[in-house]
Amino acid sequence: MYSTVATEREAILANVEEAVLEIPGVEAMRFLGPELKEEITRLELLAEQNGACGGLMPFRNGGVWAALSREVSFMVVGNAHFIIHNEGLLYMMDTSGQVIGEYVPPHLKEQFVKDHPDAHFLSDDFALLSDVTVKGEPYFLIDEIEFPYLEKVKGITRLTSGSVSTMSDDMVRSLMGCEGPDLWTHLVGFDLLP
């Protein structure tokens, strides 16, 4: 029986790898073994301890923690265009859970300005909401991102993904031999169906 379960797992992981490597813009992928998962966890904890904005503001990387909590996690390296669902990626929150600022992708900026005419843009793609009364200390939340490329792969559930810190990005790209200015890493996780 064990060999049947192991064979099914191997077949599912092979299907996942095939689907990921077919995504336009993807250069490489690697499933995380225990040691690499532990190292990425260490680097992400360190990144959170260092804070965002040069240490001026705390942040939580919800997408990374969600992906690392899954039974299977892997890293993808590719150009930025393979991560197409980047809405809802970055928020500024307060301790009561209110959104007080958010990343606004260029293709959504016009609609965002219509919906939030009093918002103040800190940069071309990040806006503060002026109609929110801040409660407690603000922090950044890097949220989970959908990863639709694997939705049709049979045998997996609870699919999610997240953007890793620059420390993890540098380490993984070096490890995978994918160094270059136009490449990004992305962490994906899922559970296997029982």
Side-chain angles (χ1 to χ4, degrees), residues 115-130:
D115 293 344
H116 305 280
D118 296 328
H120 300 287
F121 277 84
L122 298 178
S123 65
D124 288 342
D125 58 8
F126 194 86
L128 288 178
L129 303 174
S130 59

Side-chain angles (χ1 to χ4, degrees), residues 47-88:
E48 285 190 0
Q49 289 170 1
N50 290 337
C53 303
L56 296 176
M57 183 173 276
F59 83 95
R60 175 150 174 77
N61 198 333
V64 162
W65 301 126
L68 286 172
S69 75
R70 301 310 198 256
E71 184 179 348
V72 177
S73 303
F74 64 90
M75 295 296 298
V76 182
V77 178
N79 65 45
H81 303 294
F82 81 89
I83 308 170
I84 56 170
H85 296 276
N86 57 3
E87 296 92 28

